[in-house]
């Protein structure tokens, strides 16, 4: 399967140690099956840190049967709690090799933030999330798993 990673640099050998904390699924290397989503990530990184917006393309060996995978099929209470705790800096992702689920992108995060700030209940937040078109993200938490499952294919600059 083809997957994408947006950055301000070419990432031929991904390394989890460069990941930031406080992300949706915690520290890890993030990829997506949506090229558009990765291009947005690339443009954001380039605007924040300089350089060009780069779309990195990988071959993802998606036989995950040997790995400890947490998969969120939809935005529900479990997903919301997980994202909330990871964005607070709790390292609950360390129990897994990979975490797969939807992205709390800018629009979605505005809704999720209403819950984070205590303005909306979980139920209100989850109800509002039904109205967004979600993109997926795969967070690879374990470096050995990352080295096993991902092979750099090519890159190009995003305009």
């Amino acid at each position: 399967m083809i997957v994408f990673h947006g950055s301000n640099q070419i990432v031929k050998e991904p390394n989890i140690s460069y990941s930031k904390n406080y992300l949706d699924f915690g520290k890890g290397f993030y990829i997506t099956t949506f090229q558009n989503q990765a291009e947005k990530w690339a443009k954001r990184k380039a605007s924040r840190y300089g350089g060009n917006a780069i779309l990195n393309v990988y071959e993802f060996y998606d036989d995950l049967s040997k790995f400890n995978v947490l998969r969120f099929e939809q935005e529900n209470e479990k997903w919301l709690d997980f994202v909330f705790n990871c964005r607070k800096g709790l390292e609950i992702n360390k129990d897994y090799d990979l975490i797969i689920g939807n992205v709390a992108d800018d629009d979605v995060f505005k809704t999720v933030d209403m819950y984070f700030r205590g303005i909306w209940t979980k139920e209100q937040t989850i109800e509002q999330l039904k109205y967004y078109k979600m993109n997926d993200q795969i967070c690879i938490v374990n470096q050995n798993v990352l080295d096993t499952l991902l092979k750099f294919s090519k890159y190009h600059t995003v305009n």
Side-chain angles (χ1 to χ4, degrees):
M1 168 170 61
I2 301 298
V3 294
F4 308 96
H5 173 79
S7 183
N8 63 339
Q9 53 191 291
I10 301 164
V11 184
K12 290 185 179 180
E13 296 180 13
N15 189 321
I16 290 166
S17 67
Y18 294 111
S19 175
K20 293 184 182 257
N21 296 318
Y22 310 105
L23 299 173
D24 288 355
F25 297 153
K27 189 171 184 145
F29 188 75
Y30 284 78
I31 53 178
T32 180
T33 61
F34 289 89
Q35 182 173 338
N36 255 8
Q37 180 68 32
E39 288 175 351
K40 285 181 190 176
W41 290 341
K43 288 176 185 177
R44 177 176 291 138
K45 267 207 156 164
S47 72
R48 285 184 183 164
Y49 306 111
N52 293 317
I54 303 291
L55 180 72
N56 293 280
V57 182
Y58 303 90
E59 187 68 34
F60 180 64
Y61 302 101
D62 56 354
D63 176 8
L64 305 179
S65 59
K66 296 181 273 186
F67 305 106
N68 189 10
V69 179
L70 175 60
R71 187 182 300 265
F72 295 103
E73 300 296 336
Q74 61 185 4
E75 314 73 51
N76 54 24
E77 189 172 328
K78 186 177 174 186
W79 176 86
L80 185 60
D81 287 342
F82 196 87
V83 170
F84 179 75
N85 286 317
C86 285
R87 286 197 172 231
K88 280 181 19 182
L90 299 180
E91 294 186 349
I92 58 175
N93 67 338
K94 297 290 184 190
D95 295 335
Y96 305 97
D97 295 320
L98 298 102
I99 304 161
I100 302 169
N102 290 328
V103 173
D105 66 8
D106 291 345
D107 292 330
V108 172
F109 192 73
K110 289 173 190 170
T111 299
V112 171
D113 192 47
M114 297 294 277
Y115 169 67
F116 287 3
R117 293 188 291 149
I119 297 169
W120 285 353
T121 65
K122 275 185 195 176
E123 294 77 19
Q124 289 172 304
T125 304
I126 292 166
E127 181 62 31
Q128 290 300 311
L129 289 172
K130 294 178 185 176
Y131 299 105
Y132 292 103
K133 178 184 177 281
M134 301 288 252
N135 290 326
D136 68 9
Q137 61 186 342
I138 302 166
C139 175
I140 305 174
V141 179
N142 180 309
Q143 184 66 46
N144 291 330
V145 173
L146 176 59
D147 295 342
T148 301
L149 294 179
L150 213 59
K151 181 180 179 211
F152 181 80
S153 177
K154 61 184 175 180
Y155 75 93
H156 71 265
T157 304
V158 178
N159 297 322

